[in-house]
Amino acid sequence: MEDPRDRNILHAPNDLLFSDKDISYFSNFFCGYLLGYVKGNGYTPEPFVKHSDSNLLLFGYAENDYFIKQYEDDTEYYNEKNGLSI
């Protein structure tokens, strides 16, 4: 069955099904899990940074280490994201 919702519209989280808090927790857990898995297997990539604007989240590999940072303040997040030189 095809989903009737327009995929071009971002809908607010549904507190009964998957709340904003649930989405943030899942995103942080998922990114942390993947970074831990890659680090545990000894993979050394080229430096990179990825981001999740919806969760104010930066993660990646820089200076010989994996990292994940979540911000509470969107101004601080965007300043950090825009200032990256990787």
Side-chain angles (χ1 to χ4, degrees):
M1 181 158 96
E2 189 173 322
D3 188 345
R5 293 177 293 186
D6 183 349
R7 294 188 183 272
N8 295 316
I9 298 173
L10 297 177
H11 299 276
N14 181 325
D15 286 342
L16 294 174
L17 299 176
F18 205 56
S19 71
D20 188 44
K21 184 178 178 181
D22 293 336
I23 292 168
S24 291
Y25 178 82
F26 176 79
S27 296
N28 288 326
F29 177 82
F30 185 70
C31 290
Y33 175 81
L34 289 178
L35 289 174
Y37 179 79
V38 171
K39 184 177 183 177
N41 283 300
Y43 176 70
T44 304
E46 293 294 318
F48 72 92
V49 176
K50 299 292 183 181
H51 59 86
S52 172
D53 291 342
S54 62
N55 293 325
L56 306 179
L57 191 65
L58 297 174
F59 58 97
Y61 183 82
E63 300 176 4
N64 297 318
D65 199 14
Y66 293 92
F67 69 90
I68 183 169
K69 296 181 186 177
Q70 183 171 21
Y71 297 83
E72 296 295 323
D73 178 68
D74 60 342
T75 302
E76 181 183 0
Y77 166 76
Y78 284 107
N79 285 340
E80 182 77 16
K81 179 184 164 188
N82 294 331
L84 294 171
S85 60
I86 294 176

